[in-house]
Amino acid sequence: MKTVYILNGPNLNLLGKRQPDIYGHETLQDVEVACSKLVEAAGLSLRFLQSNAEHQLIDWIHEAREGACGLIINPAAYTHTSIAILDALNACDIPVFEVHISNVHKREEFRHQSYVSMRADGVIAGCGTQGYELALSRLIRLLG
Ligand code: DHK
């Protein structure tokens, strides 16, 4: 069975508790449940992961490079700083989508720059946690 990877970066383990005015009230587990339903309906399997550590995200991208049919990533703050994550994504030949829960372009200037966007096939920002489902439905259509 083909596997979709959904990777989440630092502080997203606090989703639902952290700045709900910006990131909403849904937890990361709620997001995983919603994504699982879409992935299962498409006959795919899901690896849904979160880490606060850059090296762990990079190791999972390497894993996805070997075994995944597509990758969705919310790199959180590493979006704006991590050339290492960009390099890891550039080593992947699978479709890559970048998700941000908030509209980063409406926020502080340091959030306007994304290294990951230099590789992503699509970017979704400002659609709340629904952004994960939007990215997934695009990925599933591409794979179809
Ligand atoms: C999440 C974060 O933690 C921030 O560092 C990013 C992103 C935005 C989001 O909107 O999902 O700047």
Side-chain angles (χ1 to χ4, degrees):
M1 197 186 269
K2 290 182 181 171
T3 304
V4 173
Y5 275 56
I6 301 184
L7 303 183
N8 295 281
N11 301 305
L12 288 168
N13 52 310
L14 298 179
L15 198 63
K17 294 179 214 152
R18 162 203 186 209
Q19 295 179 280
D21 47 318
I22 296 175
Y23 299 107
H25 291 278
E26 273 193 303
T27 65
L28 203 58
Q29 208 195 337
D30 295 331
V31 176
E32 182 173 1
V33 168
C35 291
S36 296
K37 287 182 188 156
L38 282 178
V39 165
E40 277 165 29
L44 303 168
S45 69
L46 179 65
R47 287 262 286 152
F48 189 97
L49 301 159
Q50 188 277 330
S51 178
N52 296 323
E54 189 176 20
H55 72 88
Q56 178 62 83
L57 294 164
I58 291 165
D59 285 348
W60 285 332
I61 293 167
H62 292 175
E63 209 180 280
R65 178 181 179 273
E66 299 294 329
C69 59
L71 186 153
I72 294 169
I73 183 164
N74 182 347
Y78 290 137
T79 307
H80 320 295
T81 61
S82 182
I83 296 168
I85 288 178
L86 171 64
D87 284 350
L89 292 171
N90 275 334
C92 292
D93 283 334
I94 52 176
V96 172
F97 289 90
E98 176 183 353
V99 171
H100 302 289
I101 296 164
S102 64
N103 182 357
V104 283
H105 301 289
K106 222 174 148 182
R107 299 180 64 193
E108 303 95 324
E109 203 165 331
F110 63 83
R111 294 185 206 274
H112 299 180
Q113 155 74 14
S114 167
Y115 286 105
V116 171
S117 292
M118 296 174 79
R119 165 61 183 89
D121 297 295
V123 182
I124 293 171
C127 296
T129 51
Q130 192 190 355
Y132 289 85
E133 293 166 71
L134 296 172
L136 249 184
S137 61
R138 174 67 183 155
L139 177 61
I140 289 165
R141 182 182 291 195
L142 277 183
L143 296 172

